[in-house]
Amino acid sequence: MAVARVALEHEHRARREDRREVGAVERVATFDPGHWYEEHTDDVERIVVRGGRPLSGAVPIAGAKNSALKLMASALLAEGDHVLENVPRIVDVEIMSDLLVSMGVDVRRTDEHELTIRVPADVQPEAPYELVERMRASIVVLGPLLGRFGEAHIALPGGDDFGPRPIDMHVRGLEALGASFETSHGYVHARCDQLLGTRVLLEFPSVGATENVLMAAVRAKGTTVIENAAREPEIADLAAFLNRMGGQVVGAGSSTIVIEGVDELVPVRHRVIPDRVETATLLAAVGVAKGEVTLEGARPEHLDMLVQKLGDMGMRISPCSEGLWAAAPTRLRAVDVATLPYPGIATDYKPLFVALLSVAEGVGIVTENLFAGRFRYVDELVRMGADVRTEGHHAVVRGVERLSGAPVRAPDIRAGAALVVAGLGAEGETVVADAHHVARGYEDFGGKLRALGADVEWWHE
Ligand code: UD1
């Protein structure tokens, strides 16, 4: 197997010999992807939080995971050296690097937050099961592979464990452009001669389907119009990257994206937008722990609805020259929250709201409209003394004065982070097991919370 030359190591990648706290990220020269995963799946990682300290100070917001992964995939569209700045040091970026490397692409971390991606004239257009299984977002190589090479073989995705996550809209959109699909042995095989621009009406504003159709359509012949497109800031970032490469994309960030196909794209340098989910997580941390923080580089315009909702709960949040300033002076008030596609409240914020409501005054109802079964972490919060009842897509959260620290388990990235957030306001010690989930999406999460005065340690056994 090819050896990835991405040089990074996350805080959870410390030695196992002795139980010790994991601090800064170490850089390594090379690693073998297979070996690397083995280490991670074997690892026992825990985040230990001792609650009760208010937060104060300033921390930088990392580049957006959900943008970086798509930009890395879309580099496949042009031969040559692409440079991505502000790429977060997280496990999912490693997995995407490994995927590109397995196709014959050279990926190097040329600076702490910079990736250089050298795409050759030809690649192996395949996403193997070992990698797709690790990260569902691997499916986003489908569009660029079809757009440039007319062929893609993608293992059917697994990913986070919260209900079925089909790819029918991706397939339908790409079929409309002229691709044909067949499924065998757990793989989707896609082929096309020349993609032809057309109107693609998405049944739902799926982020992944919008991205795959967009990345394929930049190389189609003629005009493609995506209607009911997802409007997430990460899609606007992807379109900005594609336009810099020579693409002609108009309207990304709105429900209608118009793409004029071009014959060739060129490699470019691009800076990843800041991560709004990390920003939301740190805002929730202040809401639970109280205090006052500045989130450097955060983009308030990507967080409108969230800021409004947290304001309704009693937080004070305002844009400042560094990014975003936030304070939670007193106990928050309960509100109702429903997740919706952007600009609505993101489904990724939902566990954070459940954590916030657990200690707010009053009763709040949280409704999940995007993914079924994303309430598994609720049982963990209940173990911490939260009063939450779930029924179908709803959670009814009755705020209690204080949670009490307990051993809990992180079921996925965001829920894991939310359990840490809950622990910040709990009495005593909360130990969050399976912390490797959190490392998939957060750069130096423990370090950032510590910088804000929290008592958080990341243990590796
Ligand atoms: C992306 C984000 C994820 C976020 C989600 C919604 C990445 C890597 N992940 O995921 O963090 O929670 O957007 O904001 O960017 N669906 C179908 N058929 C399809 C595609 C989607 O039924 O072909 C359904 C999904 O099962 C889900 C809903 O549509 O219920 C939304 O999915 P989608 O917007 O595609 O999310 P992802 O791109 O997977």
Side-chain angles (χ1 to χ4, degrees):
M1 174 170 309
V3 173
R5 265 169 247 123
V6 176
L8 75 110
E9 180 174 13
H10 209 274
E11 56 178 358
H12 71 300
R13 191 169 187 255
R15 311 280 169 265
R16 248 175 285 168
E17 306 91 28
D18 39 12
R19 190 175 191 263
R20 69 172 174 91
E21 190 195 339
V22 183
V25 174
E26 230 174 72
R27 302 186 73 191
V28 291
T30 58
F31 69 84
D32 170 355
H35 171 63
W36 194 79
Y37 292 131
E38 214 172 276
E39 264 197 16
H40 284 289
T41 38
D42 283 348
D43 282 344
V44 179
E45 295 182 52
R46 294 190 157 82
I47 303 172
V48 180
V49 190
R50 283 170 215 96
R53 290 200 196 174
L55 304 185
S56 75
V59 283
I61 296 299
K65 168 178 92 71
N66 288 352
S67 190
L69 297 176
K70 322 307 169 58
L71 300 178
M72 291 171 74
S74 66
L76 286 166
L77 282 161
E79 183 184 348
D81 285 0
H82 302 257
V83 180
L84 292 178
E85 299 170 9
N86 203 29
V87 178
R89 294 182 302 168
I90 53 172
V91 172
D92 275 11
V93 163
E94 291 271 0
I95 299 174
M96 184 56 85
S97 298
D98 287 354
L99 178 54
L100 295 177
V101 166
S102 76
M103 292 181 191
V105 175
D106 185 38
V107 185
R108 292 162 191 259
R109 197 168 274 268
T110 34
D111 204 348
E112 201 185 354
H113 292 113
E114 182 181 282
L115 282 190
T116 298
I117 304 172
R118 175 167 294 177
V119 180
D122 268 315
V123 304
Q124 169 84 17
E126 181 180 324
Y129 180 67
E130 310 84 79
L131 294 169
V132 178
E133 169 205 45
R134 302 277 308 164
M135 186 180 69
R136 185 188 187 276
S138 310
I139 190 72
V140 290
V141 297
L142 177 58
L145 287 177
L146 268 179
R148 177 149 168 240
F149 302 102
E151 192 182 355
H153 309 278
I154 317 279
L156 285 164
D160 287 328
D161 186 16
F162 39 76
R165 303 183 87 183
I167 56 162
D168 54 308
M169 285 187 254
H170 302 235
V171 169
R172 223 169 138 181
L174 293 166
E175 273 177 347
L177 290 169
S180 58
F181 286 82
E182 141 197 333
T183 309
S184 64
H185 306 294
Y187 273 73
V188 173
H189 304 280
R191 283 196 178 76
C192 63
D193 292 326
Q194 167 71 68
L195 294 174
L196 295 176
T198 186
R199 175 171 180 259
V200 175
L201 174 61
L202 294 177
E203 196 180 316
F204 179 88
S206 152
V207 172
T210 303
E211 290 164 339
N212 261 329
V213 173
L214 169 59
M215 288 185 281
V218 281
R219 290 296 308 273
K221 200 173 163 60
T223 311
T224 300
V225 180
I226 309 177
E227 306 265 23
N228 198 24
R231 290 184 278 168
E232 271 70 1
E234 294 75 25
I235 288 175
D237 199 26
L238 173 60
F241 183 58
L242 295 171
N243 283 341
R244 206 164 270 177
M245 288 165 79
Q248 292 185 27
V249 183
V250 177
S254 78
S255 303
T256 305
I257 305 179
V258 181
I259 306 130
E260 202 64 56
V262 296
D263 291 335
E264 210 193 338
L265 294 165
V266 294
V268 291
R269 175 180 280 271
H270 182 87
R271 187 173 174 79
V272 179
I273 57 168
D275 198 311
R276 63 197 166 93
V277 191
E278 187 196 27
T279 309
T281 306
L282 293 170
L283 288 174
V286 187
V288 168
K290 306 288 165 293
E292 181 179 336
V293 300
T294 302
L295 305 176
E296 296 164 352
R299 295 264 289 269
E301 70 273 25
H302 295 167
L303 295 148
D304 271 352
M305 204 75 83
L306 176 76
V307 166
Q308 183 173 302
K309 211 35 127 177
L310 293 175
D312 292 346
M313 294 184 79
M315 280 186 73
R316 285 158 52 207
I317 304 174
S318 54
C320 62
S321 56
E322 295 93 340
L324 205 57
W325 170 89
T330 51
R331 188 176 178 198
L332 301 183
R333 296 181 290 278
V335 291
D336 294 338
V337 183
T339 64
L340 283 170
Y342 190 85
I345 296 288
T347 181
D348 304 72
Y349 304 160
K350 195 190 55 185
L352 300 168
F353 272 104
V354 176
L356 280 163
L357 291 169
S358 294
V359 287
E361 198 171 344
V363 182
I365 299 172
V366 179
T367 303
E368 170 63 64
N369 289 315
L370 273 83
F371 291 102
R374 247 192 168 186
F375 278 119
R376 287 202 306 136
Y377 56 93
V378 162
D379 293 340
E380 307 297 303
L381 279 172
V382 167
R383 301 191 60 256
M384 295 174 70
D387 182 349
V388 189
R389 271 182 303 137
T390 58
E391 198 173 307
H393 286 229
H394 307 284
V396 180
V397 190
R398 264 168 234 280
V400 297
E401 280 280 344
R402 192 124 199 237
L403 295 177
S404 84
V408 291
R409 195 164 285 282
D412 63 59
I413 308 178
R414 307 305 175 193
L419 290 169
V420 174
V421 164
L424 294 173
E427 189 247 314
E429 190 174 273
T430 298
V431 181
V432 182
D434 286 350
H436 61 275
H437 285 299
V438 179
R440 280 189 54 186
Y442 290 88
E443 175 177 322
D444 194 21
F445 190 46
K448 286 185 186 179
L449 289 172
R450 272 197 302 277
L452 295 174
D455 186 349
V456 176
E457 291 165 312
W458 201 304
W459 291 100
H460 206 78
E461 286 177 357

